[in-house]
Amino acid sequence: MSKTTVKNEYSAKSINVLKGLEAVRKRPAMYIGDVSARGLHHLVNEVVDNSIDEAMVGYADNIEILIHKDNSVTVTDNGRGIPVDMHPEEKRSALEVVMTVLHAGGKFDKDSYKVSGGLHGVGVSVVNALSEWLKVEVRRNGGIYFQEYQRGLPIKPAKEIGKCKKNETGTKVTFLPDKEIFKVTEFRFDTIAERMRELAYLNKNITIKIKDERNGGEEATYHFKGGIVEFVQYLDEARQPLHKTVYVEGERDNTPVEVAFQYSDSYTENIFSYVNNINTHEGGTHLVGFKTALTRTLNNYAYKNNLIKDSKITLTGDDFREGLTAVISVKVAEPQFEGQTKTKLGNSETKSAVETLVGEKLAEFLEENPSVGKKILEKCLRAAEAREAARKARDLARRKNALDNMNLPGKLADCSITDPELCEIYIVEGDSAGGSAKQGRDRRFQAILPLKGKILNVEKAKINKILENDEIRAMISAIGAGFGIDFDPAKARYGKIILMTDADVDGSHIRTLLLTFLYRHMKDLITAGKVYIAQPPLYKIKKGKEEFYAFDDNERKEILKRLKVNGKVEQAEPAETLEDGSVKGVSISRYKGLGEMNPEQLWTTTMNPETRTVLQVTLESAANADKIFETLMGDAVEPRREFIEKNAKYANLDI
Ligand code: 0RA
């Protein structure tokens, strides 16, 4: 090769470098996604990914990130160090090539097993191109080497600046993101820290330290001996796990596979899948392989050990994933990423690798840990039952004919007017009160549905049980708007649903159960303001032919005072002593239940729209309501009482 050829080749390569860097700076989004905060943080990830690659091949176990005061960042690792030898043909160091040529990183490392990400893995040269300046320091072969760049171009050739121990190797990259490129140039500690924590979970051998030299001086060190087992436990922190975490690890067809999972008391599925440390949000073949193996292995195990007693139940894939938290991490040499955000793995060979490995190892695990197997299957069976019940609920709701006025419950005394806006239904506790209400009502617009005793607590019953309950079925039919997900408030046959229960502890419990049912399965009725609480009086005060009703103790005292002031009750004794007795012509009786009132009294006090008080049930916020109702139906009495007083506005009632 003549001297001129070499020179031409060199200049040709330099032109390519310039073109490359120019391309990156012209269309940065093509390389790093965007130029907002996301793209900015991508720069750190890109450099760290190279360090992680060194860790994955077993050369690095320490990574340090420093965010400096000027928002430049240093990433240091103790890997092999970027090669620094001169290329006789290139006339520049390998270091310079890695730092300035797109996708050059892997070129020097063909022999070793190296996996690179899809989104990442564009190379440190991209970081270099998008930095106002970048400095790299390499320790390798007993020497310390240095090179500096501006907007991707080297200022001088790489040079040895000192000596170090032969076994002291590593790479240190410091860069300042270019303000000409990025809209945001301020790093967020938490954003970097979150990704570093994830990487530390996914690579159990490494320690990652992050330190912020700006105000606050935050720092964090991540090292998880348990790797993804600890990751799963971290994800389930707020849930109650049902067993010890299951861990499966191995390699199939040159694909390293790692899976950790556990079931908790929750009902949601939380599976996180990774390929080469990249979160595959859209899943892909590795996830499919895992799900297939899980379903098949658990099913086989259940049948082999006779864990499914009810032969009517068939477990579906979903049943095996209810309450499951899992992390799947695979390493794929040449990953194909598909999907909208390029986070779906397409490699078909990965599916069978994960499927066979997880299948075998999980079967082994279950044989060795029968108590865990039993717990898992119990959970899955409960999920299957709930799913079956939900299906029944939907079927029932779809069979509207069976639930509307064509098939109204026998004990409903319906009204004659059919315009829902003008109609109201009283849901009444007990047959005797129901009887009084039926006689006392205005049958043109008032319907009465008497319920027997306490209805089911829908909070603690499976949906199939709920729908088998006669009282609940009667309510669904009478209201006529369906149930659960098919509930349509527009179809409600009444404009007001009025709950009328006794003013005692039992009555308040029944009212709560009714409200819970309405909240869970006919929520829109409450939000539409169609649910009311009737307010029957607590006392009847009689003086001669005159009758007075008191809705609470205060009112009772006031009425008595009034009677006294009128001069009819002279020197009335304290109200308390008057109770249940006839004093100077005044008699006070306390209603123990609605049934004690005759139809006329019930009409006058509780049902006549002209004279009654009904309290609208409101919920402070629908979002809060879920939790509120859990509180309400839980075992703690105090919070329930507080809720009722605060939210449902029936403070006047004796609860
Ligand atoms: C090219 C080849 C080799 C390592 C690297 C690049 C490398 C790049 C970075 C970036 C940050 N830290 C890094 N560590 C290593 C392989 C070197 C060899 O074969 O010895």
Side-chain angles (χ1 to χ4, degrees):
M1 219 184 272
S2 75
K3 255 191 170 173
T4 42
T5 328
V6 170
K7 199 172 175 232
N8 285 346
E9 225 171 81
Y10 176 69
S11 24
K13 282 196 171 106
S14 302
I15 288 162
N16 282 338
V17 165
L18 276 171
K19 274 190 185 159
L21 295 175
E22 210 177 293
V24 177
R25 290 181 60 83
K26 235 184 181 156
R27 292 194 171 76
M30 290 231 334
Y31 300 85
I32 55 161
D34 60 48
V35 289
S36 65
R38 256 184 96 192
L40 178 79
H41 289 85
H42 199 108
L43 300 182
V44 181
N45 293 340
E46 188 54 51
V47 182
V48 171
D49 278 356
N50 284 276
S51 304
I52 293 281
D53 279 349
E54 283 294 289
M56 287 202 300
V57 288
Y59 293 102
D61 62 4
N62 224 314
I63 299 170
E64 232 181 272
I65 294 138
L66 281 174
I67 309 170
H68 303 291
K69 284 209 160 68
D70 62 351
N71 269 294
S72 63
V73 169
T74 298
V75 178
T76 313
D77 68 58
N78 62 347
R80 288 168 292 181
I82 303 175
V84 287
D85 43 305
M86 284 294 285
H87 257 248
E89 285 162 32
E90 296 253 358
K91 286 280 181 201
R92 49 193 172 143
S93 65
L95 176 61
E96 189 179 313
V97 175
V98 167
M99 297 310 296
T100 57
V101 179
L102 292 180
H103 305 290
K107 266 197 203 165
F108 297 84
D109 203 19
K110 273 201 202 93
D111 301 332
S112 77
Y113 176 77
K114 191 174 157 88
V115 290
S116 65
L119 275 177
H120 315 280
V122 287
V124 266
S125 57
V126 169
V127 179
N128 194 11
L130 300 177
S131 294
E132 209 173 296
W133 54 259
L134 183 146
K135 297 171 190 175
V136 59
E137 193 182 294
V138 170
R139 279 155 208 261
R140 206 179 150 101
N141 311 323
I144 305 172
Y145 302 84
F146 178 85
Q147 191 167 31
E148 189 177 354
Y149 316 80
Q150 265 171 13
R151 304 204 155 98
L153 285 172
I155 294 171
K156 284 180 262 178
K159 146 179 175 200
E160 188 174 336
I161 55 162
K163 294 279 172 203
C164 63
K165 287 190 193 125
K166 249 209 132 107
N167 61 356
E168 204 183 303
T169 60
T171 305
K172 177 165 139 184
V173 176
T174 306
F175 64 95
L176 180 74
D178 195 343
K179 289 175 198 67
E180 286 177 11
I181 304 278
F182 291 95
K183 286 193 242 164
V184 192
T185 50
E186 198 172 315
F187 286 104
R188 240 189 104 236
F189 179 86
D190 287 345
T191 304
I192 300 175
E194 271 157 36
R195 172 64 179 157
M196 295 312 131
R197 188 204 288 120
E198 185 181 39
L199 283 170
Y201 277 126
L202 292 166
N203 302 275
K204 58 184 156 203
N205 303 317
I206 40 171
T207 304
I208 309 180
K209 196 175 162 187
I210 165 167
K211 200 173 166 196
D212 196 337
E213 291 177 344
R214 300 168 302 181
N215 302 337
E218 271 186 279
E219 62 175 283
T221 305
Y222 301 113
H223 175 73
F224 304 107
K225 262 205 315 240
I228 60 169
V229 169
E230 277 190 67
F231 196 177
V232 163
Q233 290 161 358
Y234 166 77
L235 293 168
D236 262 354
E237 219 165 41
R239 305 184 183 103
Q240 196 61 47
L242 302 180
H243 57 89
K244 65 175 177 183
T245 316
V246 182
Y247 178 61
V248 165
E249 192 215 349
E251 196 172 321
R252 273 297 136 89
D253 307 323
N254 287 319
T255 307
V257 177
E258 242 192 310
V259 174
F261 68 86
Q262 69 188 17
Y263 290 85
S264 76
D265 60 349
S266 82
Y267 300 99
T268 50
E269 172 187 323
N270 299 289
I271 308 181
F272 293 83
S273 65
Y274 293 86
V275 174
N276 305 342
N277 295 320
I278 296 160
N279 191 337
T280 35
H281 295 283
E282 297 170 281
T285 52
H286 55 327
L287 181 61
V288 174
F290 169 72
K291 287 182 178 176
T292 310
L294 187 78
T295 303
R296 187 187 303 140
T297 312
L298 287 176
N299 238 329
N300 287 347
Y301 178 77
Y303 280 102
K304 226 167 94 184
N305 295 281
N306 201 26
L307 293 173
I308 303 175
K309 302 271 167 13
D310 185 348
S311 59
K312 279 180 293 189
I313 290 181
T314 26
L315 291 151
T316 68
D318 286 336
D319 299 332
F320 288 114
R321 295 192 297 275
E322 192 184 288
L324 172 74
T325 298
V327 171
I328 303 156
S329 174
V330 297
K331 303 284 153 64
V332 179
E334 280 175 45
Q336 271 131 44
F337 289 103
E338 304 167 348
Q340 287 254 295
T341 55
K342 291 266 174 273
T343 58
K344 182 177 181 184
L345 186 70
N347 305 50
S348 60
E349 71 280 6
T350 313
K351 174 182 179 284
S352 52
V354 177
E355 191 181 323
T356 56
L357 187 97
V358 173
E360 281 168 31
K361 299 247 170 163
L362 178 57
E364 253 171 58
F365 174 90
L366 292 169
E367 291 305 327
E368 285 161 18
N369 299 274
S371 66
V372 175
K374 197 164 166 254
K375 284 213 182 86
I376 292 176
L377 260 299
E378 275 167 8
K379 168 83 181 169
C380 300
L381 280 166
R382 284 200 298 276
E385 282 165 16
R387 177 179 46 78
E388 180 60 18
R391 187 188 62 76
K392 276 191 187 150
R394 280 196 302 278
D395 284 358
L396 187 82
R398 281 199 196 101
R399 290 203 319 268
K400 284 272 167 59
N401 287 347
L403 292 170
D404 64 20
N405 45 357
M406 297 299 285
N407 268 304
L408 290 171
K411 50 192 180 176
L412 172 76
D414 211 358
C415 47
S416 55
I417 294 174
T418 51
D419 181 357
E421 280 314 302
L422 304 174
C423 297
E424 49 193 46
I425 182 171
Y426 274 84
I427 295 176
V428 186
E429 168 191 356
D431 281 337
S432 74
S436 292
K438 278 180 192 178
Q439 290 176 53
R441 68 177 172 147
D442 185 330
R443 60 180 60 242
R444 287 170 303 171
F445 67 95
Q446 289 180 320
I448 309 294
L449 179 67
L451 296 181
K452 230 187 242 141
K454 292 202 175 169
I455 70 153
L456 198 68
N457 181 355
V458 297
E459 212 65 8
K460 287 180 177 155
K462 292 217 177 70
I463 219 157
N464 52 330
K465 284 277 169 266
I466 295 171
L467 289 167
E468 279 166 17
N469 185 278
D470 283 340
E471 310 306 302
I472 286 178
R473 290 185 64 92
M475 277 192 283
I476 298 172
S477 309
I479 292 168
F483 175 80
I485 56 166
D486 291 327
F487 182 77
D488 180 1
K491 293 207 171 102
R493 299 176 59 248
Y494 310 96
K496 287 192 176 77
I497 317 288
I498 304 170
L499 310 181
M500 187 159 73
T501 58
D502 287 345
D504 60 8
V505 177
D506 271 359
S508 103
H509 190 207
I510 292 168
R511 188 170 54 241
T512 305
L513 293 168
L514 286 168
L515 275 175
T516 306
F517 166 72
L518 292 173
Y519 172 75
R520 288 293 181 206
H521 302 288
M522 300 185 179
K523 196 182 205 159
D524 292 344
L525 281 185
I526 297 181
T527 43
K530 291 186 175 184
V531 181
Y532 296 83
I533 312 277
Q535 232 191 335
L538 269 181
Y539 301 101
K540 183 170 80 173
I541 299 158
K542 207 169 168 186
K543 188 173 173 291
K545 286 224 156 106
E546 275 185 300
E547 278 178 357
F548 305 91
Y549 299 99
F551 290 86
D552 57 29
D553 289 301
N554 273 338
E555 221 174 341
R556 184 194 62 177
K557 282 178 192 163
E558 297 228 326
I559 291 167
L560 287 172
K561 221 157 91 188
R562 215 165 57 219
L563 293 174
K564 184 179 75 179
V565 167
N566 285 346
K568 301 276 165 74
V569 183
E570 294 172 43
Q571 292 164 340
E573 278 147 80
E576 279 68 27
T577 64
L578 291 169
E579 199 161 309
D580 290 322
S582 187
V583 176
K584 291 179 185 167
V586 175
S587 80
I588 301 167
S589 54
R590 189 190 158 113
Y591 288 118
K592 290 200 182 69
L594 295 162
E596 287 181 4
M597 270 184 270
N598 64 39
E600 203 200 307
Q601 288 170 334
L602 200 56
W603 165 255
T604 316
T605 60
T606 318
M607 295 176 73
N608 180 359
E610 306 284 316
T611 52
R612 74 183 180 197
T613 312
V614 286
L615 298 166
Q616 194 173 40
V617 175
T618 57
L619 294 175
E620 264 178 358
S621 89
N624 245 356
D626 251 314
K627 195 167 170 58
I628 287 166
F629 267 82
E630 250 159 52
T631 312
L632 202 57
M633 297 318 296
D635 298 322
V637 175
E638 234 354 85
R640 185 183 314 159
R641 198 188 169 88
E642 269 171 33
F643 164 81
I644 291 171
E645 283 172 357
K646 265 207 238 140
N647 295 277
K649 294 190 187 164
Y650 33 86
N652 283 343
L653 287 181
D654 179 24
I655 47 170

